[in-house]
Amino acid sequence: MPTAIIADDERLMRDQLRMRLEQVWPELEIVGEAKNGEEAVELVSQHRPDLTFLDIRMPGKTGMEAAREIGDRSQIVFVTAYDQYAVEAFERGAVDYVLKPSEPERLKVTVERLKARLDKPGAVVNDSVTAMLSQLAEKIAAPKPKHLQWIQASIGSDLRMIPVEEILFFRSDEKYTCVQTEKFEALIRKPVRDLADELDPSLFWQIHRATLVNVNAIEGVTRDIRGRHLVLVKGRPEKLEVSRSFLHLFKQM
């Protein structure tokens, strides 16, 4: 039975990858999980796993640094949100380089490559991996989206990847930011002030220091008995308060 460890500083991402691997490779045994590169190196020394799934950006020792120390003691697969490290990853002997979110169909390709490697220890990178590296190089050279395209959020113990156009509004409290869609509510730790810099300002308006609203979700603006301006959201009972400093956004309405 092949064995593996998973290294990622985000618990939800470790949970998601483990769940997806169980779907596409039920025979694979996950023998340990690490929160950073140092723990990953220790787990490889302890368990000698056949495979190591490494995130690249982790606190302390990075995935690249951990891969250098692990060497040929375990086959390396990088699972990361950052495609600019692809060339360096393959130079370090990675079997594959999977971009987050790791979808089952993409992991099936990875599993086939890993099985081929395990059947033939010491095999060189094959033509399919070389072709994928070429595609990644083209992707790295392509213009990056200027704004966030999706939000990674948790609903209970599940992780969801939510396209930003489906989000009605964001609203923060002291610890979390609520992500509200038509069908469900999710939570993220990123504050509204950071989201305001990363989202398309033509799609999301900041109407309060703790609130961002999707322009397409605005039904209208009303006043309460205290004279506060409130945004009405299509299909929702919530009324979102507008701070005085953001009232200029609604002058044309």
Side-chain angles (χ1 to χ4, degrees):
M1 180 179 292
T3 58
I5 68 167
I6 294 172
D8 195 306
D9 60 316
E10 295 186 48
R11 181 186 62 81
L12 287 174
M13 296 309 296
R14 296 198 304 272
D15 291 346
Q16 183 199 53
L17 179 57
R18 184 178 63 251
M19 178 188 68
R20 296 275 167 83
L21 285 170
E22 288 174 355
Q23 292 173 355
V24 299
W25 198 359
E27 299 84 9
L28 181 67
E29 181 184 3
I30 306 300
V31 295
E33 295 185 10
K35 299 186 295 294
N36 52 57
E38 291 181 0
E39 290 185 5
V41 173
E42 291 174 2
L43 285 174
V44 169
S45 297
Q46 179 182 351
H47 295 286
R48 294 283 177 169
D50 299 302
L51 314 166
T52 298
F53 293 87
L54 278 176
D55 187 17
I56 287 181
R57 289 193 180 180
M58 294 186 288
K61 188 171 294 182
T62 67
M64 287 294 184
E65 292 168 337
R68 186 186 305 121
E69 291 193 32
I70 292 169
D72 59 3
R73 291 182 291 166
S74 180
Q75 302 279 359
I76 301 292
V77 175
F78 287 107
V79 184
T80 177
Y82 306 96
D83 58 14
Q84 65 264 39
Y85 300 103
V87 174
E88 184 181 356
F90 283 103
E91 287 176 348
R92 295 197 182 282
V95 178
D96 208 345
Y97 189 100
V98 181
L99 294 177
K100 297 178 182 177
S102 53
E103 300 297 337
E105 290 303 316
R106 179 61 183 84
L107 281 178
K108 286 180 182 178
V109 177
T110 298
V111 168
E112 293 305 313
R113 290 174 180 156
L114 290 170
K115 287 180 177 179
R117 278 294 190 96
L118 293 176
D119 289 341
K120 298 178 181 179
V124 297
V125 178
N126 58 31
D127 291 341
S128 61
V129 176
T130 303
M132 187 196 68
L133 177 55
S134 176
Q135 293 170 6
L136 275 171
E138 293 176 2
K139 187 173 182 179
I140 292 169
K144 297 292 190 297
K146 292 182 178 180
H147 306 292
L148 285 179
Q149 304 298 303
W150 48 268
I151 295 292
Q152 176 182 300
S154 58
I155 304 176
S157 60
D158 296 330
L159 187 71
R160 288 281 187 93
M161 312 307 296
I162 310 171
V164 294
E165 61 270 15
E166 294 182 6
I167 298 171
L168 302 178
F169 60 84
F170 297 89
R171 189 160 55 181
S172 292
D173 59 20
E174 294 180 358
K175 190 174 181 181
Y176 294 100
T177 296
C178 165
V179 181
Q180 184 66 59
T181 73
E182 290 184 3
K183 297 180 179 179
F184 58 84
E185 175 185 287
L187 296 175
I188 59 175
R189 290 185 179 273
K190 182 173 290 190
V192 159
R193 65 175 179 272
D194 292 345
L195 287 166
D197 293 333
E198 298 176 10
L199 290 164
D200 184 348
S202 66
L203 180 61
F204 283 91
W205 285 358
Q206 183 166 11
I207 61 171
H208 188 278
R209 64 181 176 81
T211 310
L212 287 163
V213 63
N214 188 326
V215 175
N216 298 321
I218 296 175
E219 185 173 14
V221 182
T222 187
R223 285 190 182 186
D224 64 8
I225 58 174
R226 295 164 53 189
R228 297 180 304 170
H229 288 76
L230 304 173
V231 167
L232 307 176
V233 180
K234 295 176 182 177
R236 299 293 306 176
E238 293 92 346
K239 296 179 181 179
L240 308 176
E241 182 178 355
V242 183
S243 296
R244 292 176 62 87
S245 55
F246 296 107
L247 283 176
H248 66 277
L249 294 169
F250 300 94
K251 284 184 179 180
Q252 69 269 30
M253 296 184 69

